[in-house]
Amino acid sequence: MGNATKIKNWCEKELSPMAWPLIAMRALPEIMAEGKDVSLINIDERTEFEPDVIKVINKCISEAYQVTMPADILSLDGRAKESVSQEKTGTIEDRPGVKERLKMAFKILFNRG
């Protein structure tokens, strides 16, 4: 899971269900002023915020709620970093065992009988 989803979920759980839209509205003008093209609303599980974007978000959280995000919310563990870097290199078929599973799934789906 990318740090964007972790940050958003933390805001909604620990601050308020409406915290994330408020933070996004407060942070977006400053982020855009820095020349970043980042969506704070349309994020998915793989979305990663850069450190300078996180800094602005954390500042907005601090101003609005007088708290800061815990360090564990801001970082990925070692396994997540490895899987993200693996996803960016090569194709899924290059991963161990994937070709065999794809062939088996193909047989099951299309060669019934």
Side-chain angles (χ1 to χ4, degrees), residues 24-70:
M25 287 188 310
R26 290 180 74 138
L28 195 55
E30 188 173 339
I31 292 168
M32 291 177 70
E34 294 180 9
K36 301 287 182 188
D37 185 23
V38 176
S39 174
L40 299 181
I41 301 300
N42 297 320
I43 59 175
D44 64 23
E45 293 180 355
R46 296 178 297 173
T47 304
E48 289 288 325
F49 290 148
E50 295 177 3
D52 51 343
V53 172
I54 293 172
K55 186 177 178 181
V56 172
I57 292 169
N58 210 14
K59 183 183 94 167
C60 291
I61 290 171
S62 179
E63 290 170 355
Y65 295 97
Q66 291 75 44
V67 296
T68 57
M69 289 181 283

Side-chain angles (χ1 to χ4, degrees), residues 94-109:
D94 295 334
R95 294 184 186 173
V98 171
K99 283 185 181 178
E100 292 78 23
R101 290 191 302 260
L102 286 173
K103 286 178 186 175
M104 198 178 332
F106 186 80
K107 280 184 180 179
I108 292 169
L109 290 173

